[in-house]
Amino acid sequence: MSRPRKVALVGNPNAGKSALFNALTGARQKIANYPGVTVERKSGRLILPTGEPVEMTDLPGAYGLDPTSPDEEVTSKVISGHFPGEAAPDVLIVVLDASNLEQHLVFAQEVLALGKPAVVALNMVDLAERDGLVLDPAVLQEELGVRVVPTVAVRRRGLTELGEAIASAEARHPGPGLTNLTQTERRVAAHAMADAAILSESKRHRLHARLDRMLLNPWLGPVILLALLFVVFQAVFAWATPFADALDAGVSWLHDTVRALMPDGLLRDLITEGVISGVGSVVVFLPQIVILFAFILAMEASGYMARAAFLMDRMMAHVGLSGRSFIPLLSSFACAIPGIMATRSITDPKDRLTTILIAPMMTCSARLPVYAVIIAAFIPNTNVGGGVGLQGLVLLALYVAGVLGAMLVALVLRRSVTKGEASGFIMELPKYQLPRLKDMAIGLWQRAWIFLRRAGTIIFTVTVVLWILLNFPQAKPGESQVDVSIAGRLANGLAVVVEPIGFNRDMALALIPAMAAREVAVSSLATTYAVDAGDNEDQQAAELGDQLKSRWTLPMALAFLAWFVFAPQCMSTIAVTRRETNGWKWPAFMLAYLFGLAYVAAGATYWIAVAAGL
Ligand SMILES: Nc1nc2c(ncn2[C@@H]2O[C@H](COP(=O)(O)OP(=O)(O)OP(=O)(O)O)[C@@H](O)[C@H]2O)c(=O)[nH]1
Ligand SMILES: [Mg+2]
């Protein structure tokens, strides 16, 4: 039997290719309402209505076959069959945004001129209708010489017709109207084609235009953005509390139950102190993570995020970056790894390198548990007036500190190591859309799952190993178990280095396993204190927050927070930087400068706080 035919989705960024891919193959590729979301190719299987199985590939968006950035290069190589280890696609699905037809037809002509079997998915016809556009697909079909199928990817409209069109797509001889055109000629042709295909147009985006005038206003825009972020961080603390408390109670209950049921011994201690206290101390932050992502996903889907990028462009230009860096930096608030990969949509190599180097300073969600546990223990839950909570304010300040640090570093790098001018910013603003509940639910579920999976795998493993290192060799009566343990002795070595910045031995101990994942800092503190409590019932019952309060001073806690704003405590980030920069030079540079910054920031915080009498 011959291999299944290969079908590839091509088109401008933000046309809805990944949404179509998901709808057709049942995959869960990330979709978001701004250009440059997909930066790698991804394949999946589907069965056409004719019963024919095909292999479908989702590609990064592109503006032309001549690549100007690493992600466009993937697209152009896959289409031409030059992608290593992959045959050229047999059929192309050219995805067009119906509400942005003229622009999207330029690249479509270039692709169709290749003469491969092809189908056009006239996607987002619902948005076109909403904006008062009535289109005639037959006109486009006539002009382009291939089947044109209207679709609404997110509502699964037109999928069967699209499948049938794929099944019957055949090789063609593109007419003279398509081949050998210059880019300018294609633009002129696109204009004429769009004009002919648009039957009627009643301007109905007045509301959106007004919204843009407000949100993109150079003065009002940043104020609105800041206010919005402010609400987000207040909500992370305020809304999460009842859920976090419930989870906390669940963890305590489990801990006590297992303790009561199991016989005394090392195995019981491993399960209660290592697994339940350690991993549980991280899991309780699930509600906060979910709330944070609910806001991020809503901002992405509505089209507001792209506006925020537009607003930030001026500020980015001041530090020598382009607004293009905004989306990768934004993704880094979830995790630096997809953020660093998203830099593939940046054209200028030095621009891209700078963005990679500063991405780890964006506060990723793995820091949230660390921040939250320390803030909850040391920052009073008071109102600073007008219903604004101090805890949320401190959390916002930590995020802002990361951003400001990153901008400062970019400024320095662009004048030294990655010298260059800021490049111009071209990004089309996506249409405003109401976030779809189902997409939000899927997105949140994915984030929650990533978090829980980390807790169940990497955090679990590291915590168990740490517990073992904390319990051997066993202390004699009268000795402190942590002091004599292997982990304790290792930490004593590191403690010498971090003592000048106010860290104690337990903090030093937390830093080592936290290289695997930042959240481990929390579970490792929880485990250390649980082991240290030994048989002391009172101490055992004390929650991690109370333990911290009784063992750390406020300046120490603040220094620890400052450390985590900058420290590159994540091996995966280093690994992905190595991959994206093809060598060890830049990851080594990143490690050195970020640890340096963390050390200075934590030290300065500690000594200033001490001097201020905190
Ligand atoms: N209303 C409407 N929205 C759509 C449709 N198709 C996609 N979208 C939305 O449009 C946005 C972009 O969709 P994606 O699938 O990420 O676009 P893409 O072409 O893969 O973009 P890149 O990966 O950046 O090249 C998302 O917010 C989708 O929810 C559609 O037919 N109708
Ligand atoms: Mg995509």
Side-chain angles (χ1 to χ4, degrees), residues 117-161:
V119 184
V120 166
L122 186 60
N123 194 35
M124 303 206 186
V125 282
D126 58 328
L127 287 187
E129 275 162 27
R130 184 192 76 184
D131 292 346
L133 285 177
V134 180
L135 296 165
D136 186 357
V139 172
L140 280 182
Q141 195 156 298
E142 183 71 21
E143 298 271 351
L144 297 172
V146 296
R147 276 280 297 274
V148 175
V149 182
T151 59
V152 181
V154 291
R155 291 188 210 289
R156 312 186 59 87
R157 260 164 56 189
L159 298 188
T160 318
E161 294 84 339

Side-chain angles (χ1 to χ4, degrees), residues 112-455:
L112 291 175
L114 297 172
K116 274 184 175 298
V119 184
V120 166
L122 186 60
N123 194 35
M124 303 206 186
V125 282
D126 58 328
L127 287 187
E129 275 162 27
R130 184 192 76 184
D131 292 346
L133 285 177
V134 180
L135 296 165
D136 186 357
V139 172
L140 280 182
Q141 195 156 298
E142 183 71 21
E143 298 271 351
L144 297 172
V146 296
R147 276 280 297 274
V148 175
V149 182
T151 59
V152 181
V154 291
R155 291 188 210 289
R156 312 186 59 87
R157 260 164 56 189
L159 298 188
T160 318
E161 294 84 339
L162 187 65
E164 284 162 1
I166 297 168
S168 59
E170 284 167 4
R172 330 152 273 125
H173 287 292
L178 278 176
T179 41
N180 294 326
L181 294 187
T182 66
Q183 195 65 3
T184 321
E185 286 167 335
R186 279 193 206 109
R187 263 200 213 106
V188 175
H191 182 75
M193 255 186 267
D195 254 2
I198 294 171
L199 295 178
S200 76
E201 182 172 17
S202 60
K203 282 280 170 217
R204 270 203 257 158
H205 7 250
R206 234 174 305 150
L207 173 67
H208 295 171
R210 209 178 304 155
L211 211 54
D212 264 348
R213 266 203 300 282
M214 201 167 76
L215 296 178
L216 298 179
N217 178 291
W219 300 107
L220 195 55
V223 174
I224 296 176
L225 176 60
L226 203 68
L228 193 64
L229 291 178
F230 190 80
V231 171
V232 173
F233 290 107
Q234 289 294 319
V236 164
F237 265 104
W239 298 358
T241 311
F243 304 101
D245 284 350
L247 272 175
D248 228 353
V251 172
S252 299
W253 175 84
L254 197 63
H255 175 273
D256 295 346
T257 312
V258 173
R259 243 190 123 71
L261 287 180
M262 285 184 68
D264 222 6
L266 273 180
L267 182 65
R268 182 188 75 174
D269 290 350
L270 169 66
I271 293 177
T272 54
E273 292 163 4
V275 179
I276 300 178
S277 295
V279 178
S281 67
V282 175
V283 171
V284 295
F285 292 101
L286 181 64
Q288 268 149 328
I289 304 255
V290 169
I291 290 170
L292 183 65
F293 277 103
F295 279 101
I296 293 184
L297 289 173
M299 282 157 84
E300 282 185 355
S302 61
Y304 181 73
M305 225 35 134
R307 266 87 192 167
F310 188 84
L311 278 179
M312 298 300 289
D313 186 43
R314 274 236 305 266
M315 186 172 146
M316 305 273 248
H318 283 307
V319 299
L321 290 170
S322 76
R324 278 236 157 234
S325 304
F326 182 78
I327 300 286
L329 291 179
L330 196 82
S331 311
S332 304
F333 279 103
C335 173
I337 294 160
I340 287 172
M341 282 169 51
T343 61
R344 292 181 191 175
S345 64
I346 301 176
T347 312
D348 180 62
K350 283 187 176 164
D351 229 354
R352 177 166 181 234
L353 180 59
T354 316
T355 312
I356 292 177
L357 289 174
I358 62 173
M361 261 185 273
M362 303 294 122
T363 302
C364 64
S365 58
R367 280 165 171 112
L368 195 57
V370 183
Y371 288 173
V373 81
I374 299 204
I375 288 176
F378 289 93
I379 308 294
N381 184 10
T382 49
N383 232 308
V384 293
V388 176
L390 185 59
Q391 294 187 332
L393 216 53
V394 171
L395 186 62
L396 177 61
L398 290 169
Y399 274 74
V400 171
V403 174
L404 291 181
M407 294 299 122
L408 217 64
V409 170
L411 191 70
V412 174
L413 289 179
R414 289 298 264 166
R415 278 170 177 62
S416 54
V417 188
T418 56
K419 212 183 187 97
E421 290 291 310
S423 50
F425 180 46
I426 18 162
M427 175 164 138
E428 18 172 338
L429 291 177
K431 298 226 164 347
Y432 285 109
Q433 293 217 50
L434 271 183
R436 296 168 42 84
L437 221 56
K438 187 169 157 232
D439 288 344
M440 288 274 296
I442 292 176
L444 278 183
W445 165 246
Q446 283 176 331
R447 293 312 312 185
W449 177 238
I450 290 173
F451 176 75
L452 290 176
R453 206 178 45 201
R454 275 166 72 91

Side-chain angles (χ1 to χ4, degrees), residues 17-19 29-31 37-38 58-61:
K17 297 176 296 299
S18 301
Q29 276 271 78
K30 174 162 171 116
I31 59 171
V37 178
T38 310
D58 181 25
L59 291 172

